[in-house]
Amino acid sequence: MRYRLRPLYNLGGYLSATCLCLICALITAQIAGRIIDRIAIELGGGRIGLSIPGLAQISGYLLVGASFMGLAYAFINGSHIRVTLLIGRLRPRLRVFFEVFCLSVAMALSLYLAWNLYWLLADSIAFNETSYGLINIPLWIPQSVMLTGVLLLCLALIETWVATLITAVTHPASFTIDDTGHE
């Protein structure tokens, strides 16, 4: 399937990969700081104290970014887990309607999640909520990333749903597995 908003979904994938690279860089810096401390102690000096405060907290929020911003990218590239044991054996004319149904359920659940994330974000902004831990990070930052990722997934699902519905209505017998962008 050809996605019109593929550059937007790819941007989400790149942001997801950037979050993973930042996690790797932060953890590597923390490990390097510990190694330098160990070497300083072995050489008779004192601990230098090179550490990143709140590393676990920051890494957790970056992991949220990596997970949610990559949802749409993974979907359009067929990387989400799909159980096609039953519908994979159906004739194309029947399978296309099952695909529309499954996409409808996924779209409804994703829109419901986006709706609730929006209200969670609105509450966090209204009450100026911050995280617990060494660093007080405003919770609207990771929550807005979550909402953006889910909205990108909703767009990808809507785009796939429309294309699959058009196929179901116009020529269902020509439906193939690749029409939904999977497998």
Side-chain angles (χ1 to χ4, degrees):
M1 179 176 157
R2 186 174 163 266
Y3 290 94
R4 297 179 194 276
L5 299 176
R6 182 176 288 275
L8 192 60
Y9 309 141
N10 287 342
L11 176 63
Y14 293 138
L15 290 173
S16 177
T18 301
C19 287
L20 290 175
C21 289
L22 285 172
I23 292 170
C24 181
L26 287 171
I27 291 173
T28 302
Q30 180 77 3
I31 292 169
R34 289 181 182 173
I35 291 171
I36 291 171
D37 275 351
R38 174 68 57 100
I39 292 171
I41 291 171
E42 292 295 324
L43 293 175
R47 172 173 263 133
I48 297 172
L50 298 174
S51 67
I52 301 171
L55 175 66
Q57 182 181 3
I58 294 167
S59 295
Y61 290 137
L62 287 170
L63 184 60
V64 166
S67 301
F68 280 83
M69 292 306 289
L71 286 174
Y73 179 81
F75 176 76
I76 67 165
N77 288 299
S79 298
H80 284 266
I81 297 172
R82 291 176 46 99
V83 181
T84 57
L85 185 62
L86 176 63
I87 65 173
R89 300 186 188 283
L90 297 174
R91 291 174 301 144
R93 187 179 300 271
L94 187 57
R95 180 177 179 180
V96 69
F97 290 102
F98 275 97
E99 287 285 346
V100 169
F101 173 75
C102 291
L103 287 168
S104 299
V105 170
M107 197 168 39
L109 290 172
S110 296
L111 287 169
Y112 180 72
L113 178 60
W115 174 259
N116 284 296
L117 283 173
Y118 169 78
W119 288 109
L120 180 68
L121 174 64
D123 282 348
S124 292
I125 292 171
F127 295 111
N128 197 24
E129 293 179 330
T130 59
S131 64
Y132 297 107
L134 293 175
I135 301 174
N136 288 333
I137 297 174
L139 287 178
W140 67 265
I141 296 171
Q143 290 170 353
S144 62
V145 172
M146 290 170 61
L147 179 60
T148 303
V150 171
L151 288 174
L152 282 175
L153 177 63
C154 289
L155 282 175
L157 285 166
I158 290 168
E159 198 171 357
T160 305
W161 182 82
V162 168
T164 306
L165 187 63
I166 289 171
T167 302
V169 171
T170 58
H171 46 283
S174 68
F175 182 75
T176 62
I177 293 172
D178 293 334
D179 287 342
T180 59
H182 305 298
E183 293 182 23

